[in-house]
Amino acid sequence: MPTYPKPTQEQLVVTRLGEARLVSPLPLSTTPGDNIGDFVDDDLRALYNPRIMLGEKPSDLCFELAGARREIFFTPQDTTAAIVTCGGLCPGLNNVIRSLVLELLMNYGIRNVLGIRYGYHGLNPNVGRPPFELTKELVDEIHHKGGTILGTSRGPQEHKESVDFLVDRGVNILFCVGGDGTQRGAHQIASEIARRKLPISVIGIPKTIDNDIKYCYRTFGFATAVSEAEKVIDRAHVEAKSVLNGVGLVKLMGRHAGFITAAATLASGEANFALIPEVPMQLHGEHGLLAALDRRLKAREHAVVVIAEGAGQHWLDECPDEFDASGNLLLRDVGPFLAHAIKDYSNKVGNPANVKYFDPSYHIRSVHADATDSLLCERLARAAAHAGMAGKTDMLVGLWHNQLIDVPLAVSCDAKKQLSPEGELWMALQALTRQEKWYSGV
């Protein structure tokens, strides 16, 4: 279960633009057992916690289940949608764009889908490039390519200008594809729309290889990133085993969450140490990483170390905080620091290490989505289209115990999801690496 505070039921209520009174054009059914796909009833819910102690009364806390509704809010032939992709690249961006376009144009029958250029910059005509029309022919094969055909950028724009742009362009539904910064921006846009009492829907689709968005068990791009990272760890193992006292050091993305590092370490099975932001560790001393690594080299003459970019920040010298355009704290580069620390320590104790350093950060996020992520992109995009057409707003589509859910942006964006040191993933990693034998805290 999550480590963040449990929400209230009131916080999980999804905002609607108004009553949905139009019959959906989708050829779905309301009759179970007729071998036709069903609409999702508005009253259907997914439990917040499906696990209970025997004899315990189940909690009523629940999420609204995502999916196609029998009644919709927007008239399809009069509806214009827009899609924007923001933040860093991620496998599956083009898949989401394609699935959204196909669902909206082919199944709902809306006539116009706009592609917003280069992130939220494209919502400000003073700094961004004009949007272009997304057609079936244009998106037909883009899911086989990495990146995003819309372009991306970091940082918000003035929300009043963004809403002015949506009004000027006649946009009824804005789909915001991105991570927590993107979704915070989407929430601010939705809040400005609500202040003006405009009938414009804002729907978020969670994207990040870091997998750190609340109420989304797995964001799209994560599985592909783990698969690519696994390959790098395997190569680091080859390099390490090929020389005396070889150390393969791999730095992976993960600013505040160690999901990629932990999952890729488990998938590879070749790493001996995995360091993540959620579990601080000491570098020096008898129970520190360097001493443990030296013992490993004396025993096996090679080792593989995997570290998330946000881990070990307390090892580095203090410096003034700097932030990127999205408001993220700029991290100091722990990879080269650790590589030098390993070399210096091993030389000092008379057991020199041969360090091979790998930093595949941009590689693992720029490839096209694998089959697992492609399927998730399809699910998330179509659920987002259903939510938008039903007149829901200020929400994102999440994944909770393998159920697609509608989550208010305010409750999803108030904190990042992190890996639990008491959870199954971290316990499995400890069982594999046995690194709890040396770890003793900061």
Side-chain angles (χ1 to χ4, degrees):
M1 290 303 294
T3 56
Y4 33 83
K6 184 183 295 187
T8 65
Q9 190 60 59
E10 184 179 4
Q11 290 176 310
L12 299 182
V13 174
V14 175
T15 301
R16 286 168 166 76
L17 296 174
E19 186 177 353
R21 299 179 176 178
L22 303 173
V23 176
S24 171
L26 301 182
L28 301 179
S29 170
T30 57
T31 306
D34 60 2
N35 293 324
I36 300 174
D38 293 331
F39 288 106
V40 174
D41 193 288
D42 259 342
D43 292 333
L44 200 57
R45 296 291 186 266
L47 289 177
Y48 179 87
N49 187 359
R51 301 180 299 181
I52 62 170
M53 293 293 291
L54 192 62
E56 181 183 46
K57 181 183 178 182
S59 169
D60 293 333
L61 190 62
C62 55
F63 295 97
E64 185 176 293
L65 205 66
R69 296 316 199 245
R70 182 70 182 87
E71 287 79 29
I72 60 176
F73 181 82
F74 291 107
T75 303
Q77 59 266 31
D78 298 330
T79 299
T80 294
I83 305 171
V84 61
T85 55
C86 307
L89 292 183
C90 179
L93 282 167
N94 282 331
N95 300 64
V96 168
I97 295 168
R98 180 178 186 267
S99 294
L100 273 173
V101 171
L102 294 181
E103 182 67 23
L104 293 168
L105 293 181
M106 306 300 293
N107 295 332
Y108 275 103
I110 79 170
R111 295 181 179 177
N112 195 21
V113 181
L114 298 178
I116 305 301
R117 303 297 306 280
Y118 298 108
Y120 284 141
H121 288 184
L123 295 179
N124 184 347
N126 297 318
V127 299
R129 296 187 180 183
F132 61 92
E133 184 178 0
L134 292 170
T135 64
K136 177 182 180 299
E137 292 73 25
L138 182 62
V139 304
D140 195 36
E141 297 183 357
I142 63 173
H143 56 306
H144 297 303
K145 302 175 182 177
T148 164
I149 63 166
L150 303 180
T152 186
S153 67
R154 292 191 180 277
Q157 294 297 307
E158 172 55 47
H159 308 116
K160 293 181 180 180
E161 293 181 354
S162 297
V163 176
D164 288 343
F165 175 90
L166 297 176
V167 173
D168 290 343
R169 289 285 181 168
V171 173
N172 306 104
I173 309 173
L174 175 66
F175 296 98
C176 302
V177 189
D180 65 303
T182 301
Q183 305 310 331
R184 286 195 299 270
H187 176 54
Q188 291 167 338
I189 292 172
S191 297
E192 175 63 17
I193 289 172
R195 188 187 69 80
R196 300 191 199 183
K197 299 180 179 179
L198 298 171
I200 302 175
S201 170
V202 179
I203 306 295
I205 302 176
K207 167 236 74 173
T208 168
I209 63 172
D210 286 355
N211 199 38
D212 59 358
I213 295 182
K214 284 175 62 178
Y215 307 119
C216 192
Y217 177 74
R218 179 167 58 85
T219 52
F220 78 82
F222 173 68
T224 306
V226 169
S227 178
E228 293 297 313
E230 175 198 3
K231 298 174 186 176
V232 178
I233 296 172
D234 290 345
R235 302 301 179 269
H237 181 242
V238 171
E239 287 283 351
K241 286 198 69 174
S242 298
V243 294
L244 180 62
N245 281 349
V247 176
L249 174 60
V250 181
K251 186 189 78 172
L252 299 174
M253 285 190 170
R255 297 176 55 84
H256 304 285
F259 290 105
I260 294 179
T261 294
T265 295
L266 281 171
S268 169
E270 301 293 1
N272 309 106
F273 304 92
L275 315 176
I276 63 173
E278 296 92 332
V279 184
M281 73 300 292
Q282 63 188 56
L283 184 62
H284 299 285
E286 180 184 356
H287 299 290
L289 171 64
L290 296 177
L293 179 58
D294 181 60
R295 292 193 292 271
R296 161 73 191 189
L297 292 179
K298 288 175 178 175
R300 299 297 299 276
E301 298 183 339
H302 74 281
V304 176
V305 180
V306 185
I307 184 168
E309 62 180 324
Q313 291 294 305
H314 57 288
W315 298 338
L316 289 82
D317 294 333
E318 292 292 333
C319 63
D321 289 344
E322 296 183 47
F323 300 86
D324 65 18
S326 296
N328 298 312
L329 178 67
L330 291 175
L331 300 175
R332 288 155 290 174
D333 197 344
V334 71
F337 170 86
L338 183 55
H340 286 298
I342 293 171
K343 292 176 184 177
D344 290 344
Y345 181 86
S346 64
N347 287 333
K348 181 180 177 180
V349 299
N351 191 32
N354 191 329
V355 180
K356 309 295 185 183
Y357 177 56
F358 297 75
D359 182 356
S361 301
Y362 295 106
H363 167 78
I364 68 172
R365 73 180 196 180
S366 59
V367 299
H368 67 81
D370 65 10
T372 298
D373 270 329
S374 294
L375 291 170
L376 181 58
C377 289
E378 176 80 7
R379 294 181 68 194
L380 291 171
R382 294 193 186 277
H386 298 323
M389 290 301 295
K392 301 177 187 181
T393 189
D394 200 9
M395 55 146 282
L396 63 76
V397 180
L399 182 67
W400 196 247
H401 301 288
N402 205 36
Q403 299 289 315
L404 290 181
I405 57 172
D406 296 335
V407 186
L409 287 172
V411 74
S412 178
C413 298
D414 63 356
K416 290 179 179 290
K417 181 179 74 174
Q418 290 188 298
L419 189 153
S420 171
E422 298 180 7
E424 180 184 359
L425 181 60
W426 187 246
M427 289 192 295
L429 185 143
Q430 288 179 310
L432 173 70
T433 64
R434 295 186 294 174
Q435 64 187 47
E436 75 276 6
K437 299 291 185 182
W438 59 269
Y439 168 70
S440 64
V442 179

